[in-house]
Amino acid sequence: MAKITASVFTSHVPAIGAAIDLGKTAEPYWQPLFAGYEFSKQWMKDNPPDVIFLVFNDHATAFSQEMIPTFAIACADQFKPADEGWGPRPVPVVKGHPDLASHIAQSVIQDDFDLTIVNKMDVDHGLTVPLSLMCGQPAADKFEWPCPVIPFAVNVVQYPVPSGRRCYNLGKAIARAVESYDQPLNVHIWGTGGMSHQLQGPRAGLINREWDNAFLDQLIADPAELAGRPHIDYVREAGSEGIELVMWLIARGAMSDQPPKVRHRFYHVPASNTAVGHLILENT
Ligand code: DHB
Ligand code: FE
C-alpha cells in the first residue's frame, strides 16, 4: 500500500528560478531567501520520496483561455519544462508516474471529483521552481530530478476557481486513492503558489505579512476551518494572485487527521514583488 508521509508548501515566484539559473543565489538580495531552503534540501535527501504528487497552477502556459480545466491530473511519462517567453528553464525533464497517476484518476473520479486527464503538458514555473527550491540543481552527469512527479494542475487564474472546501476535500480523496494503490510507495504531496501577491493594477506589490502568517498558523492547526474561507478574503487580504493559496488546502487535506509535525517553517519578503512562504509537515 502506498502512503502519504509528508507535505511541502512553497511559493513558486518565477524570479527565483531565474536567480538559480543565472547563478545569483549568493547575491545579497537572494541569499536570505535561499538560506530558508537549505534545511529543506537536506530534508529531501534524508527523507526521499518515491513519488511527489505536485499540486500547482499553470499560468496560461500549457492551457489557455481556450480550455481551462479546474483540476487536471497529468498521467504522461514525462513533462518538458515550458518555454514561458525566454526559453525553457535549464532543468531536467520531469518524469511522471503513469501507473500511480492513472490509479489516482480512477479512484478520485469514482469518488465524485471530476478530474481532467492530461496526457501531454509542458510544465511552467509553477512546477519547476518548487522542484528547484527543494532539490537544488541536479548535477550535469546525473541530470534528473530525484524521483517521479505527478503534476496536478488547478485553475486559479480564470474565475470561477474552486473553493477552499472543494480543494480540502479533494485532498482527502487523493489520500484515499494513494492508500488504495498496491505498491509500497512513499508519497509526498506538495501545495505550491502564494503567498500574498498582486501582480497588476493599483494594488500591485501588495504584501500582507500578518495575514500570510495567520494563514500558515491555521493551515497547520485548523485546516478544516481555513477551508471555509471565501475567495474574496484571499483576494482582499492577500492580493489577486494570493488566491493561489487555495491549492495548499489540497495538500493539507491529504494529510492524516492527526496534528502534523512541523519540520520547517519559513517566511520571507521580498522575492521580486511577492512574499514567499514555506512549510514542511510530516504525518505523525
Ligand atoms: C510572479 C508570478 C507568479 O506566478 C507568482 O505566483 C508570483 C510572482 C511574477 O511574475 O513575479
Ligand atoms: Fe503563480
Side-chain angles (χ1 to χ4, degrees):
M1 174 178 119
K3 204 167 166 32
I4 293 175
T5 58
S7 55
V8 171
F9 305 84
T10 180
S11 308
H12 63 211
V13 189
I16 294 175
I20 294 170
D21 301 343
L22 298 173
K24 292 174 185 264
T25 57
E27 290 188 359
Y29 179 87
W30 287 111
Q31 192 278 333
L33 179 281
F34 288 105
Y37 287 83
E38 282 305 313
F39 174 91
S40 315
K41 287 191 280 185
Q42 190 58 47
W43 177 85
M44 280 294 286
K45 290 194 179 115
D46 296 342
N47 301 274
D50 296 312
V51 185
I52 298 166
F53 189 93
L54 205 159
V55 180
F56 78 112
N57 69 291
D58 177 78
H59 299 75
T61 305
F63 306 127
S64 70
Q65 293 295 322
E66 291 178 4
M67 211 179 293
I68 306 170
T70 300
F71 297 117
I73 186 162
C75 298
D77 60 358
Q78 58 173 40
F79 309 93
K80 282 190 299 184
D83 183 348
E84 296 179 62
W86 49 91
R89 291 193 59 216
V91 292
V93 164
V94 176
K95 298 280 168 59
H97 196 303
D99 199 62
L100 177 59
S102 309
H103 169 83
I104 293 172
Q106 163 79 18
S107 173
V108 169
I109 291 170
Q110 291 303 312
D111 210 356
D112 301 341
F113 289 86
D114 306 318
L115 309 183
T116 297
I117 293 164
V118 176
N119 291 319
K120 186 174 192 301
M121 177 168 67
D122 290 354
V123 285
D124 75 8
H125 68 272
L127 186 131
T128 64
V129 167
L131 279 175
S132 292
L133 280 169
M134 294 299 295
C135 307
Q137 178 70 339
D141 61 347
K142 196 167 183 289
F143 197 58
E144 58 189 25
W145 295 116
C147 69
V149 175
I150 299 175
F152 188 89
V154 179
N155 170 41
V156 287
V157 169
Q158 173 65 59
Y159 282 81
V161 307
S163 69
R165 176 75 57 205
R166 185 77 175 149
C167 290
Y168 185 65
N169 289 334
L170 171 59
K172 296 194 172 302
I174 291 166
R176 287 192 289 273
V178 168
E179 279 160 19
S180 65
Y181 189 63
D182 62 2
Q183 302 294 315
L185 297 180
N186 175 7
V187 179
H188 289 182
I189 183 162
W190 293 12
T192 67
M195 298 208 73
S196 57
H197 61 301
Q198 169 138 355
L199 301 176
Q200 69 274 302
R203 297 205 308 165
L206 178 143
I207 301 289
N208 189 341
R209 287 171 186 265
E210 206 181 330
W211 191 92
D212 285 345
N213 279 287
F215 182 92
L216 294 174
D217 290 342
Q218 207 176 9
L219 188 78
I220 295 165
D222 195 0
E225 177 72 19
L226 182 60
R229 190 171 293 192
H231 290 140
I232 192 68
D233 281 16
Y234 289 80
V235 174
R236 229 178 240 145
E237 300 291 336
S240 50
E241 280 68 44
I243 191 62
E244 288 181 343
L245 285 169
V246 290
M247 294 186 288
W248 293 29
L249 285 163
I250 298 178
R252 185 66 181 88
M255 296 290 282
S256 87
D257 289 336
Q258 301 303 315
K261 179 165 186 199
V262 181
R263 286 307 302 271
H264 188 50
R265 176 171 173 162
F266 177 65
Y267 183 76
H268 178 77
V269 177
S272 175
N273 50 5
T274 90
V276 166
H278 175 37
L279 283 175
I280 299 177
L281 304 182
E282 288 177 356
N283 267 337
T284 52

